[in-house]
Amino acid sequence: MAKEKVEIFDTTLRDGEQAAGTRLGAREKVEIARQLVRLNVDIIEAGFPASSPEDFEAVRLISENIQGPVICGLTRARKEDIDVARKALVKAKRARIHTGIGVSEVHLMGKFADEKYGKTIGEKQATILKMGVEAVKYAAEFVEQVEFYAEDSGRADRAFLYEILEAVIDAGATVLNIPDTTGYAMPEQWGGLMRDIRANVPNIDKAIISCHCHDDLGLAVANSLAGVKNGARQVEGTINGVGERAGNAAIEEVVMAIHTRRDFFDEVETGINTREFSRTSRMVADMLGTPVAANKAIVGRNAFAHSSGIHVDGFLKKRETYEIMRPETIGLAESRVVLTARTGRHGLRHRLEEMGYTLSKEELEKTYERFLAVADKKKEVFDEDLAAIISDEIHVVEHVYHLEYLHVASGTGTLPTASVKMKIKDEIKQAAACGDGPVDAAYEAIRQATGLSPKLENYSIRAVTGGKEALGEATVRITEDGRIFTGRGISTDIIEASAKAYVDAINRMVAAKEKGGKADVKAEL
Ligand code: KIV
Ligand code: ZN
């Protein structure tokens, strides 16, 4: 019997990027989209174009440069959002607009509390239904595929949910996204909801049902799989499960469950190239700055590691004793080339390509110079070092502020002091300051040299790889006028990495201001 396809809708670049404290540049998004093509996802949700000029630019660039998957842009059920999305998607070979509205009572009484939407629940439902239908009809004028999301379906009144789904199918929606927006559902309930939608929406044969589950109770993957078992033929999720709050369904877990348990999911298959999971996971973790837990299913460092005596003994006698999947299936290579100061450009390019990076000649040259500097200090350069170098050298916004010189003095019983020299356009500015610690002193000196004083919200430092010469990666989050900017910096010197991260965040803040003025504030759903 021919299997039915479950389409995989990747929203790492939209819902995934909504995770607190993460922000990707347009160039980073294109790089991830290229990797998603290798993974062979069916749909890439590239962003929410009306939310900010950066999101618009990312969706535009991906539409222009990425071929294969359908490229999708999110909108609210508003004509002005749809107009922005269709412009961003204009170059896509296959474009989809993903529009929708909140349908649960909580949403109706919260977001739509204003009496202009109606006084009673019934009146509000009628308004919401009309808005949803009009948005779908309007979007269908511009793109072949319109997907409708009924936000917070998991807590919605069933009769109203069936009614709005029927109406938007008649209006031209070909995919119905049923989101468990708050991650509230239980797998049995979620499977039941899919069955009930199929039984109660009369024109459901004209649309595909999609599951979009959040992980607040750790059930996003289980709920998505229950959805598939009960008729959903599209699953939405993110790589590594990144996303709002506790995140979204992890695509690698959903797909590997369907793949590994084909005896159980015997009616369906996905088109995913599972061998790309490992490298996709690493790329997303590196670019978002959110490392994967060692024990994370499928892509965690320990997911295929056997260490206790009994397990190792059993594994060596017969792999299947303790292994239900082969590491090769997700692209974990058994052997790899070791990168050292003697590795040439060719070897470096090969390794970068294996990691999924596509660099121009100039970018490779820049990366190579930095690679040599790191290789000089360390015996071996690891993939994580390379990812950090790429993020520091290649995926940067155009910098107006450059840190030319940094000197810090600190120690027991001394007042930490820092002096900096900064190049700002063609001008050189110097400043010196004291602080509570060496990083604080460096930041104060940078504030004085730039004349800018954004609020520092968050600061973290981690060793990218092991060993005493490991690269340190600093991540800072600054805010100004309610807007968040994240900066990263790497160096074998952690104070220098910290200063670079702060300057990077300032540059992102300045670039965003220059581009978008007030409109740059990310619109909320
Ligand atoms: O979780 C959700 O409801 C969403 C929709 C906007 C699709 O992300
Ligand atoms: Zn979501």
Side-chain angles (χ1 to χ4, degrees):
M1 189 181 69
K3 294 197 175 201
E4 287 180 42
K5 184 169 182 200
V6 175
E7 305 243 303
I8 300 298
F9 177 113
D10 181 282
T11 183
T12 307
L13 302 179
R14 199 277 299 171
D15 224 352
E17 203 226 11
Q18 280 177 219
T22 59
R23 202 76 205 269
L24 293 166
R27 173 67 206 270
E28 289 170 314
K29 285 193 172 188
V30 173
E31 200 82 70
I32 292 178
R34 280 208 186 98
Q35 182 53 32
L36 293 173
V37 173
R38 294 184 200 107
L39 186 62
N40 208 26
V41 302
D42 300 285
I43 303 105
I44 296 177
E45 185 162 57
F48 173 12
S51 71
S52 72
E54 286 103 328
D55 257 37
F56 178 90
E57 184 58 8
V59 177
R60 193 192 66 73
L61 271 176
I62 289 173
S63 300
E64 199 171 299
N65 292 294
I66 301 296
Q67 271 146 39
V70 171
I71 308 299
C72 175
L74 186 87
T75 79
R76 290 167 291 189
R78 295 187 187 181
K79 278 193 172 171
E80 61 271 27
D81 275 25
I82 295 170
D83 281 334
V84 178
R86 72 182 165 96
K87 283 184 195 138
L89 289 165
V90 82
K91 291 263 172 69
K93 293 261 174 325
R94 293 191 297 154
R96 179 181 295 186
I97 288 180
H98 186 192
T99 190
I101 199 156
V103 295
S104 67
E105 201 176 313
V106 183
H107 278 241
L108 294 182
M109 300 314 283
K111 280 186 188 173
F112 304 106
D114 195 311
E115 287 199 354
K116 74 176 182 202
Y117 297 105
K119 285 194 182 120
T120 63
I121 288 270
E123 284 171 6
K124 286 183 194 295
Q125 286 177 337
T127 312
I128 293 312
L129 187 141
K130 189 161 170 272
M131 285 169 74
V133 165
E134 278 173 6
V136 169
K137 279 192 181 153
Y138 189 60
E141 287 178 27
F142 309 109
V143 288
E144 250 173 62
Q145 302 187 7
V146 180
E147 173 169 340
F148 176 80
Y149 62 85
E151 199 180 358
D152 206 17
S153 289
R155 295 188 296 173
D157 171 72
R158 287 293 187 90
F160 177 57
L161 181 63
Y162 304 147
E163 194 187 341
I164 194 167
L165 294 179
E166 182 182 353
V168 295
I169 296 174
D170 280 343
T174 50
V175 183
L176 301 179
N177 177 7
I178 312 298
D180 182 22
T181 306
T182 52
Y184 183 71
M186 295 289 127
E188 255 187 73
Q189 274 182 326
W190 200 248
L193 176 60
M194 301 301 122
R195 273 200 311 276
D196 292 346
I197 288 174
R198 288 168 66 208
N200 290 287
V201 177
N203 49 2
I204 196 67
D205 56 311
K206 298 199 181 70
I208 291 173
I209 302 178
S210 181
C211 283
H212 177 115
C213 298
H214 280 269
D215 209 30
D216 300 65
L217 293 172
L219 292 169
V221 170
N223 286 340
S224 305
L225 292 170
V228 168
K229 203 65 189 161
N230 288 281
R233 290 297 175 260
Q234 179 178 288
V235 172
E236 309 193 1
T238 58
I239 299 299
N240 300 338
V242 293
E244 287 261 4
R245 306 182 310 279
N248 291 58
I251 286 182
E252 64 279 8
E253 295 179 21
V254 172
V255 170
M256 288 310 290
I258 294 174
H259 181 87
T260 309
R261 293 302 310 274
R262 26 193 187 277
D263 58 321
F264 185 75
F265 293 99
D266 53 352
E267 292 174 5
V268 295
E269 63 189 357
T270 73
I272 292 295
N273 177 6
T274 61
R275 286 179 176 267
E276 293 292 333
F277 271 139
S278 175
R279 108 171 81 193
T280 316
S281 162
R282 242 182 304 145
M283 180 184 275
V284 168
D286 289 335
M287 288 196 192
L288 280 178
T290 46
V292 170
N295 65 337
K296 157 95 175 60
I298 317 294
V299 289
R301 199 176 59 243
N302 293 347
F304 291 92
H306 306 272
S307 66
S308 80
I310 296 175
H311 281 220
V312 172
D313 183 56
F315 169 75
L316 291 176
K317 285 181 178 137
K318 189 169 164 54
R319 289 178 82 128
E320 291 75 15
T321 319
Y322 289 108
E323 210 171 74
I324 60 165
M325 294 167 273
R326 287 283 163 101
E328 304 86 89
T329 323
I330 64 141
L332 277 179
E334 304 259 312
S335 58
R336 59 188 188 90
V337 175
V338 175
L339 297 176
T340 68
R342 284 179 300 283
T343 307
R345 286 174 183 75
H346 180 73
L348 178 66
R349 176 191 283 278
H350 180 73
R351 186 73 205 118
L352 288 169
E353 279 171 4
E354 277 183 349
M355 289 171 69
Y357 294 108
T358 323
L359 301 189
S360 69
K361 222 169 149 212
E362 296 76 46
E363 288 171 338
L364 178 71
E365 202 49 42
K366 230 172 161 185
T367 310
Y368 184 63
E369 275 170 31
R370 186 73 184 273
F371 161 78
L372 284 182
V374 174
D376 260 356
K377 294 193 179 151
K378 300 182 66 183
K379 278 203 195 88
E380 184 182 347
V381 180
F382 297 100
D383 290 353
E384 290 82 353
D385 295 318
L386 289 183
I389 292 172
I390 296 279
S391 129
D392 208 37
E393 292 287 338
I394 310 297
H395 295 154
V396 287
V397 292
E398 210 184 313
H399 277 193
V400 175
Y401 298 89
H402 294 269
L403 184 67
E404 298 270 295
Y405 166 91
L406 167 72
H407 177 77
V408 177
S410 74
T412 314
T414 60
L415 183 64
T417 54
S419 48
V420 297
K421 184 158 94 178
M422 303 217 38
K423 192 163 165 224
I424 304 169
K425 295 197 173 133
D426 289 329
E427 241 186 294
I428 295 287
K429 292 256 164 108
Q430 305 204 48
C434 314
D436 290 340
V439 174
D440 189 42
Y443 284 11
E444 184 51 37
I446 292 168
R447 280 193 285 272
Q448 287 184 20
T450 58
L452 297 167
S453 42
K455 189 160 174 249
L456 180 67
E457 291 285 346
N458 206 313
Y459 163 83
S460 64
I461 184 105
R462 69 178 182 109
V464 174
T465 46
K468 66 179 169 38
E469 286 298 351
L471 288 178
E473 182 181 58
T475 307
V476 300
R477 195 142 35 107
I478 59 173
T479 52
E480 201 182 66
D481 300 336
R483 292 156 65 188
I484 303 171
F485 302 92
T486 306
R488 273 182 285 160
I490 64 155
S491 171
T492 44
D493 175 331
I494 57 171
I495 309 295
E496 185 181 283
S498 308
K500 281 177 154 185
Y502 194 53
V503 174
D504 183 39
I506 288 178
N507 276 306
R508 285 172 193 267
M509 179 181 89
V510 172
K513 268 190 183 170
E514 272 174 13
K515 258 195 221 153
K518 268 198 169 308
D520 191 41
V521 178
K522 241 189 178 261
E524 304 259 315
L525 275 173

